[in-house]
Amino acid sequence: MAPANTYELSPYEASLAQMDAVKKASQNSDLSYEVVKSLTVEVGPRIPGSAGDKRAVAWAEAKLNELGFDKVYKQAVRVRNWERGFADARVVSPFPQELVITALGGSIATPEKGIEAPVVMFADLESLTQASSAEVAGKIVFLNTRMQRDRAGKFYGRVVPNRVNGAVQAAKLGAQAVIIRSVGTDNSRFAHTGVMRYDDDVAKIPAGAISTADADNLEAMFETQSDIVLSLNMQAKEAGWQTSYNVIGEFTGTEKPDEIVLISAHLDSWDEGTGALDDGAGVGIVTAAAKLVKETLGQPKRTVRVVLYAAEEIGLVGAYQYVRDNKDTLENIIMAAESDFGAGQIYQLDTRFDPAARMQAGALYQALEDMGITLGNNTTNGGPDVSMLPAQGVPVIALRQDGTYYFDYHHTANDTLDKIKPEDIQQNQSVWAMVTAFMANTDFDPRPAPQL
Amino acid sequence: MAPANTYELSPYEASLAQMDAVKKASQNSDLSYEVVKSLTVEVGPRIPGSAGDKRAVAWAEAKLNELGFDKVYKQAVRVRNWERGFADARVVSPFPQELVITALGGSIATPEKGIEAPVVMFADLESLTQASSAEVAGKIVFLNTRMQRDRAGKFYGRVVPNRVNGAVQAAKLGAQAVIIRSVGTDNSRFAHTGVMRYDDDVAKIPAGAISTADADNLEAMFETQSDIVLSLNMQAKEAGWQTSYNVIGEFTGTEKPDEIVLISAHLDSWDEGTGALDDGAGVGIVTAAAKLVKETLGQPKRTVRVVLYAAEEIGLVGAYQYVRDNKDTLENIIMAAESDFGAGQIYQLDTRFDPAARMQAGALYQALEDMGITLGNNTTNGGPDVSMLPAQGVPVIALRQDGTYYFDYHHTANDTLDKIKPEDIQQNQSVWAMVTAFMANTDFDPRPAPQL
Ligand SMILES: [Zn+2]
Ligand SMILES: [Zn+2]
Ligand SMILES: [Zn+2]
Ligand SMILES: [Zn+2]
């Protein structure tokens, strides 16, 4: 039955009807799950510049073409490839035990024979910076900060400086190496990797993360022992410059082809898991959302552009390349957003819209409120790979996901498909499809993003 | 204040009062947790015959002496030491991916350069036995049976034949190797090891377990691909005969020193985790129970004997040695029991008591019922290391624990102290102390165990 009275609907009602139609279509589709399954099964790990990364790029081009995107193209991105290699850590004395360790991304190797040195434990980076060289010089620094669990993952930002800056702070005081308690909320023997940084003015020392269970064990040894000696051997290496790609698929707008609704995720992952949550889920969600809008409502009025960024994990490298390559047309982006927080259900919409325009998106807010999603703040940066866009005036949104368990798996070998609940990723798919439909098929225009 | 009217209590009431006293003492004690913490922090992994096993024996002797047991002694047990070594498995084609694998205990190595062969998947051991040589010869067999989660862990017995007998069944049909979906209830990338067997009449082939997440991934590849090639390289080795020990501590009975209440656990563990749940928890529980009875009620009337068995994991080797060394005095054992199912709370008491005598333990049943523990069947075997005793007429009990999560961690690197909830192990400690008090200080005598 045709919707006989569609022509009588107000723009507000028509927009609600469109969002309702894509929601219903989404509720009968497992496309987002199937896309991330395909990526994790057929490609798996894809650290920037690796063979897996190259396979991921080929996979993404093929997948977007298979799904019928009008235009599928790539943007070359130069990336520094880093290989994890062998990693071994053990307590030599007083209680010989192996520790599960993984190198932090970008870490140099230890000498080939490893390092053997006393350990000195600090509760956090702040305590380390206040320590004296006498306490630290020649030792292995152990940064033992626990991360708390919460829905928004807000403790990540508080603990992650251990990972990013621990090596520099420890090296300033003459440490031989740094190991951190994994930045994660699990109690397990998976170590969490992630990017770390050196400072050109400070000696480079090897940096690794031990699992939370091993951090507990080492901490317990300190309860009765003061002289604890570790051996550490990590053979990570820089493997040279490689070319990776942002992979982009579009459904070209019928009425305003130059106006872009940019929805995105990152294609790369760390190398130990299959990158299901980080960020296979995002790849599945935004790809499926665009496809569902096209399939349900036909060609969009504005252009819907799906960007699968390269090399997010090593510093948003693909995202910065995108900005350089598109610098003259950034003002045509009506809205940009990234899905990069796993597959937990969405509970809040944050925006960065022109404040006056923000009031005009009532239909969107109503449709989301019907799904239990509240309207949040107007100060979001939209997610890592679009975070540099608001400074260029590009409006962004963040569809905030339940991250209660995200950091149990984040950047570990345990980030695999089984952690995604089909019903959760489907909810994400529905919401992204609704937002995309609203942004692509109405006249709503939240430009420019406010400068905070 | 002295209990002024104790002399007026009936034996039934006196027994209840004793159990209540040890329960209260237990509720103020974290001894079982501290014992397993000491074992996992100071010793850690302790596969039979290894350096860790030797440290565990020394640790156990020292711990029992430190806790004031009257007699502490060892029984030599000859064990075959096996070393896991390096293990690597990967899908070569069509989708190159690494698989997390661990060798099954006792497996031979692959040739030094590994094996590269097509994989053939079977849903269970039954399907494999019905296959033809043509389907299997020259291939790597993948046994892909899922284990269900339940409180009693009853699905373990249904799935574990894959692990124990998979190599023999696969080799009969000419397979080059066998890999199994880990026998576990987790969704993770921890592989579960455990003992496997060869048959002298059948070719020995290497046997490993892949994690459940990797089994999912491999299974997903079979949804679209029929020709899947794996490479497998495992360098396990037999490392010769070693001497391990059962470590035994006693509080000698004042009235009936020859009558033995035998409570036990196993001291050995697998080599990848620290053996916190399997069976550090049991070591902590039975050691603390005996100590609490002595401390609260004074020297017991019957002898309380704590046996920490060697080499349970590789076939109850220490337990059989105990039977040989004590064969003339087994009839003096009033009751034997083992704690070897983690640290989940106890919900049921099963027994193997002379049926007439069984009616005489009413005070015990009442005290346990007050803790929500029900009386179960009279057909238990009492746990692995005491399972051969009922055939000799020795009564046994099983204090059945909530094992809902036990097989998430069982025989993995993730079996570590953080999996034990202090309140759960304390409940076990209380119940074991109560049972020990009842058996040691009353005239209750359930001998002989019925033959089923
Ligand atoms: Zn990410
Ligand atoms: Zn990440
Ligand atoms: Zn056990
Ligand atoms: Zn075991």
Side-chain angles (χ1 to χ4, degrees):
Chain A
M1 192 182 76
N5 60 348
T6 299
Y7 61 90
E8 294 172 14
L9 295 177
S10 69
Y12 189 95
E13 291 166 325
S15 174
L16 281 180
Q18 287 207 348
M19 287 188 277
D20 197 53
V22 293
K23 179 165 80 172
K24 286 199 170 69
S26 172
Q27 287 166 345
N28 289 311
S29 167
D30 56 3
L31 182 58
S32 55
Y33 186 84
E34 289 303 319
V35 169
V36 57
K37 180 176 176 181
S38 170
L39 176 58
T40 56
V41 170
E42 296 164 31
V43 179
R46 46 198 184 277
I47 193 171
S50 65
D53 186 36
K54 293 180 206 309
R55 283 194 293 269
V57 168
W59 170 91
E61 272 199 285
K63 184 62 68 180
L64 294 173
N65 278 313
E66 173 194 325
L67 291 172
F69 280 74
D70 302 334
K71 285 190 199 164
V72 178
Y73 57 101
K74 300 187 295 188
Q75 281 178 330
V77 181
R78 292 291 284 169
V79 299
R80 197 75 184 269
N81 181 232
W82 174 89
E83 288 180 5
R84 175 171 310 285
F86 168 84
D88 181 276
R90 53 190 70 223
V91 179
V92 174
S93 66
F95 305 131
Q97 289 217 32
E98 291 180 42
L99 304 174
V100 172
I101 192 165
T102 200
L104 297 182
S107 173
I108 62 166
T110 62
E112 203 178 333
K113 289 184 175 173
I115 291 168
E116 187 169 310
V119 198
V120 55
M121 179 170 70
F122 292 96
D124 49 35
L125 198 59
E126 176 69 16
S127 320
L128 171 61
T129 57
Q130 289 168 6
S132 69
S133 294
E135 293 169 80
V136 172
K139 295 183 181 166
I140 296 170
V141 163
F142 170 38
L143 285 171
N144 186 33
T145 316
R146 284 181 163 72
M147 179 178 169
Q148 288 176 261
R149 183 186 299 286
D150 80 317
R151 186 174 70 166
K154 66 169 180 277
F155 296 98
Y156 183 68
R158 300 188 194 172
V159 180
V160 82
N162 282 3
R163 193 187 79 204
V164 178
N165 303 320
V168 166
Q169 292 304 325
K172 279 183 181 171
L173 298 171
Q176 287 204 60
V178 64
I179 60 175
I180 65 167
R181 176 186 280 267
S182 280
V183 177
T185 48
D186 53 315
N187 294 313
S188 88
R189 294 192 87 193
F190 289 111
H192 297 240
T193 192
V195 80
M196 55 82 61
R197 301 265 176 242
Y198 291 116
D199 183 329
D200 285 342
D201 301 330
V202 179
K204 293 184 181 183
I205 59 173
I210 62 174
S211 81
T212 57
D214 288 279
D216 287 352
N217 206 356
L218 191 51
E219 179 183 321
M221 291 182 192
F222 273 103
E223 290 174 15
T224 62
Q225 309 290 319
S226 51
D227 295 329
I228 298 175
V229 176
L230 278 199
S231 80
L232 182 65
N233 192 332
M234 299 194 298
Q235 295 303 326
K237 65 177 183 197
E238 291 286 344
W241 289 94
Q242 299 284 336
T243 301
S244 186
Y245 296 91
N246 296 329
V247 182
I248 301 171
E250 294 184 4
F251 290 111
T252 309
T254 51
E255 296 184 7
K256 300 170 181 172
D258 291 341
E259 292 187 2
I260 308 296
V261 176
L262 190 162
I263 59 177
S264 69
H266 65 85
L267 186 56
D268 66 311
S269 75
W270 284 102
D271 53 327
E272 298 188 294
T274 61
L277 293 172
D278 186 14
D279 184 22
V283 170
I285 290 163
V286 299
T287 302
K291 169 70 174 171
L292 282 163
V293 168
K294 162 68 190 278
E295 202 168 62
T296 310
L297 306 175
Q299 201 72 9
K301 293 183 180 173
R302 288 166 168 156
T303 291
V304 173
R305 177 177 293 171
V306 171
V307 183
L308 305 179
Y309 289 106
E312 186 273 348
E313 294 292 6
I314 58 174
L316 319 181
V317 182
Y320 285 111
Q321 187 65 47
Y322 181 91
V323 171
R324 282 193 297 274
D325 286 4
N326 297 276
K327 67 176 188 302
D328 298 332
T329 55
L330 295 178
E331 72 271 17
N332 295 343
I333 302 176
I334 295 291
M335 181 214 76
E338 183 172 36
S339 173
D340 183 22
F341 205 59
Q345 296 206 10
I346 295 167
Y347 64 90
Q348 184 171 306
L349 165 67
D350 290 344
T351 63
R352 185 86 161 265
F353 288 166
D354 173 76
R358 195 176 194 237
M359 300 300 103
Q360 315 297 318
L364 177 63
Y365 308 150
Q366 181 178 329
L368 296 186
E369 194 173 290
D370 289 347
M371 299 182 76
I373 297 164
T374 57
L375 180 61
N377 64 57
N378 197 36
T379 58
T380 186
N381 69 13
D385 287 310
V386 298
S387 61
M388 65 294 287
L389 295 179
Q392 310 296 321
V394 178
V396 296
I397 65 166
L399 289 163
R400 297 194 41 200
Q401 296 173 270
D402 186 332
T404 306
Y405 300 104
Y406 182 65
F407 290 104
D408 286 5
Y409 309 114
H410 182 252
H411 294 184
T412 72
N414 203 23
D415 177 3
T416 47
L417 184 65
D418 50 289
K419 310 309 179 305
I420 296 180
K421 293 186 185 154
E423 65 271 26
D424 286 352
I425 197 169
Q426 191 184 57
Q427 189 258 14
N428 278 268
Q429 167 186 283
S430 298
V431 174
W432 279 84
M434 292 161 71
V435 170
T436 302
F438 179 83
M439 297 303 307
N441 286 344
T442 69
D443 292 326
F444 176 68
D445 187 345
R447 292 175 296 181
Q451 302 306 305
L452 305 176
Chain B
M1 190 183 75
N5 60 347
T6 299
Y7 61 91
E8 291 173 13
L9 296 177
S10 69
Y12 188 95
E13 292 166 323
S15 175
L16 281 180
Q18 287 207 350
M19 287 188 278
D20 196 54
V22 293
K23 180 166 79 173
K24 286 201 170 69
S26 173
Q27 287 165 345
N28 289 310
S29 167
D30 57 3
L31 183 58
S32 55
Y33 186 84
E34 288 302 319
V35 169
V36 58
K37 180 176 176 180
S38 169
L39 175 58
T40 55
V41 171
E42 296 165 30
V43 179
R46 47 197 183 278
I47 193 172
S50 65
D53 187 37
K54 293 181 206 309
R55 283 194 294 270
V57 168
W59 170 90
E61 272 199 285
K63 185 62 67 180
L64 294 173
N65 278 314
E66 174 195 325
L67 291 172
F69 281 74
D70 302 335
K71 285 189 199 164
V72 178
Y73 57 100
K74 300 187 297 190
Q75 281 178 332
V77 180
R78 293 291 284 168
V79 297
R80 198 77 185 269
N81 181 232
W82 174 88
E83 287 179 7
R84 177 170 310 285
F86 168 83
D88 181 274
R90 54 190 70 223
V91 179
V92 174
S93 65
F95 305 131
Q97 289 218 31
E98 292 181 40
L99 304 174
V100 172
I101 192 167
T102 199
L104 297 181
S107 173
I108 63 166
T110 61
E112 203 176 334
K113 289 184 175 172
I115 292 169
E116 188 170 309
V119 199
V120 54
M121 179 170 71
F122 293 96
D124 49 36
L125 198 58
E126 177 68 14
S127 320
L128 171 61
T129 58
Q130 289 167 6
S132 68
S133 294
E135 293 170 82
V136 172
K139 296 183 181 166
I140 295 171
V141 163
F142 170 38
L143 285 170
N144 186 31
T145 316
R146 285 182 162 71
M147 180 179 169
Q148 288 176 261
R149 183 187 298 285
D150 80 317
R151 185 173 72 166
K154 67 170 181 278
F155 296 98
Y156 183 66
R158 300 187 195 172
V159 179
V160 83
N162 282 5
R163 192 187 79 204
V164 178
N165 303 320
V168 166
Q169 293 304 325
K172 279 183 181 171
L173 298 172
Q176 287 204 61
V178 63
I179 61 176
I180 65 168
R181 175 186 281 268
S182 280
V183 177
T185 48
D186 54 314
N187 294 313
S188 88
R189 295 193 86 193
F190 289 112
H192 296 240
T193 191
V195 79
M196 56 80 63
R197 303 264 174 242
Y198 291 116
D199 182 329
D200 285 342
D201 301 330
V202 178
K204 295 184 179 181
I205 60 173
I210 62 173
S211 81
T212 56
D214 288 280
D216 288 351
N217 207 357
L218 192 50
E219 180 183 320
M221 291 181 192
F222 274 103
E223 289 173 15
T224 62
Q225 307 291 319
S226 52
D227 295 328
I228 298 175
V229 176
L230 278 197
S231 80
L232 182 66
N233 193 333
M234 299 195 297
Q235 295 303 327
K237 65 177 182 195
E238 292 287 343
W241 289 93
Q242 298 284 336
T243 301
S244 186
Y245 296 91
N246 296 328
V247 182
I248 301 172
E250 295 184 5
F251 291 112
T252 310
T254 51
E255 294 183 8
K256 299 169 180 173
D258 292 341
E259 293 187 4
I260 308 297
V261 176
L262 189 162
I263 58 176
S264 69
H266 66 85
L267 186 57
D268 66 310
S269 75
W270 283 103
D271 53 325
E272 297 188 293
T274 61
L277 293 171
D278 187 15
D279 183 24
V283 170
I285 290 163
V286 300
T287 301
K291 168 71 173 172
L292 282 165
V293 168
K294 163 68 190 279
E295 201 169 63
T296 311
L297 305 174
Q299 200 73 9
K301 292 182 180 174
R302 288 166 168 155
T303 291
V304 174
R305 178 177 292 170
V306 171
V307 184
L308 305 180
Y309 289 105
E312 188 272 347
E313 294 293 3
I314 58 174
L316 319 180
V317 183
Y320 284 111
Q321 188 66 47
Y322 181 92
V323 170
R324 283 194 295 276
D325 286 3
N326 297 274
K327 66 176 187 301
D328 297 334
T329 54
L330 294 179
E331 72 271 17
N332 294 344
I333 302 175
I334 295 291
M335 182 215 74
E338 183 172 37
S339 174
D340 183 23
F341 205 60
Q345 295 206 10
I346 295 166
Y347 64 90
Q348 185 171 307
L349 165 68
D350 290 345
T351 64
R352 185 86 164 264
F353 288 167
D354 174 78
R358 194 177 194 238
M359 300 299 105
Q360 313 298 316
L364 176 63
Y365 307 149
Q366 181 178 328
L368 295 187
E369 195 173 289
D370 289 347
M371 298 182 75
I373 297 164
T374 56
L375 180 60
N377 65 55
N378 197 37
T379 58
T380 187
N381 70 12
D385 288 309
V386 300
S387 63
M388 64 295 287
L389 296 178
Q392 310 296 322
V394 178
V396 297
I397 65 167
L399 290 162
R400 297 194 43 200
Q401 295 172 272
D402 185 332
T404 306
Y405 301 103
Y406 182 63
F407 290 104
D408 285 4
Y409 310 114
H410 183 250
H411 295 184
T412 71
N414 203 21
D415 177 3
T416 47
L417 183 65
D418 50 290
K419 309 311 178 305
I420 297 180
K421 293 186 185 154
E423 63 273 25
D424 287 352
I425 197 169
Q426 190 184 58
Q427 188 258 13
N428 278 267
Q429 166 186 283
S430 298
V431 174
W432 279 84
M434 292 162 71
V435 169
T436 302
F438 178 83
M439 297 304 306
N441 286 344
T442 69
D443 292 326
F444 176 68
D445 188 344
R447 292 175 297 181
Q451 301 306 304
L452 303 177

